[in-house]
Amino acid sequence: MVEKIWNRQAIVRGDDQPDLLYIDMHFVHEVSSPQAFDGLRAKGRSVRRPDLTIATEDHNVPTDTLELREPTGRLQVQTMRRNCLEFGVTLYRLGDEGQGIVHVIGPETGLTQPGMVMVCGDSHTSTHGALGALAFGIGTSEVEHVLATQTLPQQRPRTMVVTVTGRLPLGVSAKDLALVLIARVGTGGGQGFVVEYRGEAITALSIEERMTLCNMSIEWGARAGLVGPDQTTFAYLRGRRFAPSDELWAEAQEYWHSLRTDEGATFDEEIELDASSVVPFVTWGTNPGQGVALSDVVPSPDEFTDPEERSAAQRALSYMDLTPGTRMRDVVVDTVFIGSCTNGRIEDLRAAAEVLRGRRVADGVRLLIVPGSMAVKRQAEEEGLDEVFVAAGAQWRGAGCSMCIGMNPDIVGPGERTASTSNRNFEGRQGPGARTHLVSPAVAAATAVVGRLSAPADIDAEKVPTPVSAARP
Amino acid sequence: MKPFVVHEGIGAPLRMSNVDTDQILPSRFLKRVTRSGFGDGLFIGWRESPDFVLNRPAYTHATVLVAGTDFGIGSSREAAVWALQDYGFRAVIAPRFGDIFRTNAGKSGLVAVELAESKVERLWDYCELNPGATITIDLEARTVMAGDDIKESFMIDDYLRRRLLNGLDEIAITLTSGDAIAAFESERPRIKPRVFES
């Protein structure tokens, strides 16, 4: 499928230079674009296709107010507004109905469709692959290149297929699947590859679950991850604002069908995973590959035979302030974050609400629930999920990247520990000195109730939580 | 982009793998609208520690960083590259780079050299035994040299090498294919979405 998309989009193919790929849709946000627009101005260039470009404010905006109080963040947002006006680019501003995280609004508006090549100055652009698009993150110089030419010189990637057999057990999510996969292949395992996910378990996933999985592709090094379009894809797209109209629908479906990987197609690399063996998974370290089952314990650096991995584990444990042998379920958290381009969609919020309904957040725990877009927010409020969250003691916010990225007012304090549905547990990712455990929405919600890393099934077993300190004596 | 042909500069050994872009430049330092000034945030989480390699006087003025595998994984922030350049780095050597970081480096003129782990190991040893010693990167010849004994060849994409050697503006190169782009656009399937009708 990757090859088929590539061959249709490669305008110029050179022997001594990369292929020139046509970009069907370019998403822009406030953080990675100002220098790109500056570059255009400096050379007197324009945006070639404003109709194939769309901008949103998500990374540094606050989620509890529409007021941009912080001066440097405000300057970036204002710069974006000025640039979009000057170059004729459609912008969803903070507070607008359509505003949200770029990787949430693309699919929900129907702008993301099978077979499209899509880019954004953000590594989690791989999310859009859930609908069968070839979508990848780019840097600011490339943003400028796409703005000016609607194309990008790209080396043809190597291809990999991840076949997930069987079915995910009840209570296990696409996030757990992604974390298990990364723990197995390592953070660099997909370097240089575009990955196609397939198999019974993938077919059974909803589009939003596929987005979670594709979103995390970059966390094991793959620049893009995608799923072949099927009936689930078509049903998701039908009727969305930018989806093909009824009269074009048959034509579109035919086109999308033709993109699917042929029987017997070969890949440069193949991985197989059994979905039925996946369990709720959490990270203990400072990269997304450092994870274990929730039922497991913090590993000892001695368990790693590779000296690099051993020293990385040592460093991670010291940063995370964890002692080998500690049960993951005994790890006490200060903050729980549910949101982000990984897990900030309506199904994620429903999963959290199911756990939080009629329950209270544990004393001393701060729970932030941040919808990925204003549309998700409206939907959640229509379903009454906001009331469930507020009744449980959570903070219900506006749309944005929020606590995933540590560059807006939602940050985790130094030394604080968080269970987060986001995508990165790097040192300082959620704020200087913040300690992150990556989890699924259900585990996040249960953790907020118990006060320690927990699955929903643990809640009733823990009527009276008695937290045990995970810190070293 | 400044051309890069040969560069000789102090090598700094960073014996760490998986140095992600949040460690190179945390997101809170990304709120600039210019390409310069990011050096202040470079490796900020480690800059307080006296043991950190760039805090040791012999390496403070390093221009060639020698790092462990998977350097620059994580986010797409090109400012991670700009921060390294702002500090004074002209090149980074590592066994493997994060994909987007490597691309960004190539676009901004920071040379990313991939050398096998054993060769990086030798460079680390050399830099540690000879604090402040220089490493020479010859992009024309595709070699890395240090001291009397170390001379390694490296592979680099020819097109990228040509661009780096000449400091070429890639957008200008692409714009020479303007006719092909326009022809492609005229035949693009009508089912594909547009944000507005123009």
Side-chain angles (χ1 to χ4, degrees), chain B residues 13 15 56 59 122-133:
Chain B
R15 275 192 189 263
R56 291 157 59 195
Y59 302 110
R122 274 190 80 196
L123 283 172
W124 279 339
D125 291 344
Y126 174 80
C127 294
E128 283 167 0
L129 286 170
N130 309 282

Side-chain angles (χ1 to χ4, degrees), chain B residues 85-172:
Chain B
Q85 290 178 313
D86 212 41
Y87 183 89
F89 286 107
R90 298 291 316 276
V92 183
I93 301 172
R96 191 168 60 186
F97 292 92
D99 216 17
I100 308 180
F101 177 89
R102 199 188 51 222
T103 306
N104 288 341
K107 306 288 179 192
S108 284
L110 177 77
V111 174
V113 176
E114 282 189 348
L115 281 185
E117 252 167 82
S118 58
K119 294 173 181 174
V120 166
E121 196 81 45
R122 274 190 80 196
L123 283 172
W124 279 339
D125 291 344
Y126 174 80
C127 294
E128 283 167 0
L129 286 170
N130 309 282
T134 62
I135 294 176
T136 302
I137 293 170
D138 185 335
L139 188 59
E140 189 95 62
R142 283 175 285 212
T143 55
V144 172
M145 288 167 291
D148 297 330
D149 301 329
I150 300 180
K151 182 170 181 181
E152 308 289 358
S153 320
F154 62 90
M155 306 268 285
I156 185 166
D157 172 61
D158 257 346
Y159 171 77
L160 171 60
R161 178 164 151 271
R162 212 162 58 231
R163 271 206 310 106
L164 289 168
L165 285 171
N166 301 303
L168 296 178
D169 171 4
E170 200 176 24
I171 296 177

Side-chain angles (χ1 to χ4, degrees), chain A residues 47-111:
Chain A
V47 173
R48 182 180 178 91
R49 294 295 298 261
D51 59 332
L52 303 183
T53 310
I54 191 157
T56 185
E57 300 169 358
D58 56 3
H59 278 62
N60 73 28
V61 295
T63 58
D64 57 349
T65 168
L66 297 181
E67 206 183 314
L68 299 160
R69 295 194 193 101
E70 197 270 316
T72 51
R74 184 169 62 228
L75 175 64
Q76 245 176 3
V77 171
Q78 285 169 341
T79 304
M80 168 96 154
R81 291 175 182 175
R82 215 177 45 236
N83 284 333
C84 286
L85 198 65
E86 181 182 338
F87 290 94
V89 172
T90 305
L91 168 67
Y92 291 129
R93 295 160 55 125
L94 178 64
D96 285 355
E97 266 183 25
Q99 181 262 348
I101 305 175
V102 52
H103 312 310
V104 177
I105 65 173
E108 79 185 7
T109 54
L111 273 177

Side-chain angles (χ1 to χ4, degrees), chain A residues 118-431:
Chain A
M118 318 182 70
V119 295
C120 173
D122 187 281
S123 60
H124 292 107
T125 307
S126 57
T127 313
H128 305 264
L131 287 131
L134 176 60
F136 50 91
I138 57 177
T140 299
S141 294
E142 291 177 302
V143 170
E144 184 180 336
H145 198 116
V146 178
L147 289 173
T149 70
Q150 204 60 30
T151 66
L152 206 54
Q154 284 285 303
Q155 296 291 353
R156 195 174 271 265
R158 288 183 293 162
T159 57
M160 188 193 290
V161 64
V162 175
T163 306
V164 189
T165 58
R167 293 290 278 267
L168 287 175
L170 210 66
V172 174
S173 72
K175 181 64 163 288
D176 299 303
L177 173 61
L179 289 173
V180 165
L181 177 63
I182 302 166
R184 189 170 119 187
V185 298
T187 50
Q191 204 76 256
F193 287 100
V194 168
V195 179
E196 180 174 343
Y197 298 98
R198 65 179 185 188
E200 190 192 345
I202 304 299
T203 307
L205 293 179
S206 70
I207 292 298
E208 294 195 0
E209 291 171 312
R210 294 177 192 181
M211 285 189 220
T212 301
L213 182 62
C214 290
N215 171 279
M216 297 286 283
S217 301
I218 185 73
E219 306 311 334
W220 53 290
R223 200 155 180 189
L226 43 76
V227 177
D230 57 11
Q231 288 308 323
T232 309
T233 318
F234 307 149
Y236 176 91
L237 275 171
R238 189 103 207 218
R240 291 193 187 258
R241 183 171 163 209
F242 292 106
S245 60
D246 284 347
E247 61 213 73
L248 287 178
W249 189 255
E251 185 181 333
Q253 235 175 331
E254 194 182 327
Y255 180 80
W256 297 337
H257 258 303
S258 72
L259 300 166
R260 288 184 60 91
T261 298
D262 298 326
E263 291 283 334
T266 55
F267 295 84
D268 297 315
E269 184 101 31
E270 302 195 12
I271 292 179
E272 209 175 286
L273 202 72
D274 174 13
S276 62
S277 67
V278 176
V279 292
F281 220 69
V282 297
T283 60
W284 52 267
T286 53
N287 72 55
Q290 292 175 322
V292 290
L294 174 63
S295 57
D296 213 333
V297 298
V298 176
S300 161
D302 300 336
E303 292 169 32
F304 299 91
T305 46
D306 179 81
E308 284 270 341
E309 276 185 46
R310 190 158 56 235
S311 77
Q314 255 153 5
R315 223 171 67 219
L317 290 179
S318 146
Y319 179 85
M320 292 296 289
D321 195 21
L322 289 172
T323 313
T326 306
R327 292 184 342 136
M328 292 312 297
R329 281 195 163 97
D330 287 340
V331 173
V332 178
V333 303
D334 307 289
T335 299
V336 175
F337 169 60
I338 298 176
S340 84
C341 61
T342 310
N343 281 128
R345 283 169 284 266
I346 191 67
E347 288 177 15
D348 301 312
L349 300 187
R350 286 177 192 147
E354 198 181 315
V355 177
L356 291 169
R357 198 178 297 277
R359 296 196 167 104
R360 288 284 304 171
V361 171
D363 286 345
V365 173
R366 167 172 68 140
L367 170 60
L368 234 73
I369 304 182
V370 185
S373 70
M374 293 303 280
V376 170
K377 186 179 170 74
R378 280 193 303 278
Q379 175 74 28
E381 289 174 357
E382 264 168 42
E383 295 178 20
L385 305 186
D386 57 323
E387 287 164 27
V388 174
F389 298 147
V390 172
Q395 299 178 33
W396 172 242
R397 296 294 189 86
C401 297
S402 185
M403 204 176 256
C404 171
I405 185 154
M407 67 178 305
N408 56 61
D410 302 339
I411 61 165
V412 179
E416 269 184 26
R417 191 178 294 282
T418 169
S420 177
T421 65
S422 53
N423 39 58
R424 289 189 176 132
N425 51 345
F426 296 154
E427 285 182 26
R429 168 80 179 182
Q430 296 189 281

Side-chain angles (χ1 to χ4, degrees), chain A residues 8-9 22 24 35 45 48 51 70 76 139-141 145 155 187 191 251 308 405 407 429, chain B residues 16-18 22 27 30-31 34 74 78 99 104 157 159 169 174 184-185 188 190 192 194-195:
Chain A
R8 288 179 200 211
Q9 299 286 131
Y22 194 79
D24 287 311
Q35 298 87 352
R45 291 169 177 153
R48 182 180 178 91
D51 59 332
E70 197 270 316
Q76 245 176 3
T140 299
S141 294
H145 198 116
Q155 296 291 353
T187 50
Q191 204 76 256
E251 185 181 333
E308 284 270 341
I405 185 154
M407 67 178 305
R429 168 80 179 182
Chain B
M16 270 189 231
S17 58
N18 279 305
D22 277 271
S27 55
L30 294 180
K31 296 186 212 170
T34 56
E78 194 160 325
D99 216 17
N104 288 341
D157 172 61
Y159 171 77
D169 171 4
T174 297
F184 182 90
E185 284 176 328
R188 201 165 159 266
R190 57 181 182 156
K192 292 200 174 183
R194 293 157 69 179
V195 180

Side-chain angles (χ1 to χ4, degrees), chain A residues 418-470:
Chain A
T418 169
S420 177
T421 65
S422 53
N423 39 58
R424 289 189 176 132
N425 51 345
F426 296 154
E427 285 182 26
R429 168 80 179 182
Q430 296 189 281
R435 299 182 176 124
T436 304
H437 296 277
L438 298 179
V439 299
S440 71
V443 167
T447 298
V449 171
V450 175
R452 286 177 264 154
L453 292 176
S454 304
D458 300 331
I459 296 178
D460 294 324
E462 302 259 359
K463 281 278 191 254
V464 188
T466 46
V468 178
S469 174

